[in-house]
Amino acid sequence: MTRTVLLLILGMTTILAGLAAGAPRNPEQGRMIYEEHCLRCHGSHGRGDGPDAPFLSPRPASLISAGTSAKPDADLLAVIMNGKPRTAMPAWKEGLTEEQRRDVLAYIRTLIRFGPKPLTPPPP
Ligand code: HEC
């Protein structure tokens, strides 16, 4: 009995903590935002090789590099929100809602592959 109550409390706490951290985001939604706003610089696979990349200095970041992918969500969301000074990275705090910025980050996270799985074909 006590155990059941304890388990219930544990379950509720986990759910509440999950809610506090923000509902899980939608990478499929994020893909559309990425293709519309980010792909031209960061490239279809996030490698920093989009069609505009050769004209920029510094070049757009590879979003799948070990350096970038190891950064916590909070750091990457801050760059997406405020842009990056002295680079072409725009601030998206007006152009995208917080949910959209989280969705696009969720999509970026799906571009990382540690195994030899084939990459998804680039969008048409
Ligand atoms: C006009 C080109 C351009 C566009 C459009 C663009 N970026 Fe960037 N982005 C950059 C550049 C340049 C950097 C900085 C590279 C550096 O640090 O040297 C950058 C950096 C970043 C970083 C930081 C990487 C790190 O390791 O700190 C993230 C995250 C990012 N961009 C996400 C996005 C997202 C998401 C979008 C679309 C909503 C987007 N970018 C649109 C050019 C662009």
Side-chain angles (χ1 to χ4, degrees):
M1 179 63 200
T2 330
R3 211 162 133 202
T4 318
V5 171
L6 278 179
L7 277 176
L8 262 176
I9 293 174
L10 188 72
M12 305 259 285
T13 327
T14 318
I15 291 169
L16 285 177
L19 285 177
R25 299 312 315 171
N26 182 343
E28 192 44 39
Q29 231 17 66
R31 185 174 64 83
M32 290 190 276
I33 298 163
Y34 184 87
E35 286 171 4
E36 187 176 352
H37 296 297
C38 322
L39 186 150
R40 67 184 172 95
C41 288
H42 291 285
S44 53
H45 291 125
R47 293 190 173 137
D49 58 355
D52 288 0
F55 307 103
L56 298 173
S57 176
R59 294 287 179 94
S62 162
L63 301 175
I64 59 171
S65 69
T68 294
S69 64
K71 290 181 186 166
D73 284 4
D75 290 12
L76 298 179
L77 285 169
V79 176
I80 297 170
M81 184 158 98
N82 301 315
K84 189 159 178 191
R86 308 185 65 81
T87 79
M89 174 61 187
W92 296 95
K93 60 171 171 279
E94 254 113 63
L96 298 173
T97 64
E98 193 190 335
E99 286 73 27
Q100 289 176 316
R101 296 192 300 265
R102 288 181 181 275
D103 286 347
V104 81
L105 179 60
Y107 175 67
I108 287 169
R109 297 290 196 198
T110 70
L111 295 173
I112 297 156
R113 302 258 185 281
F114 293 116
K117 263 199 287 177
L119 291 167
T120 49

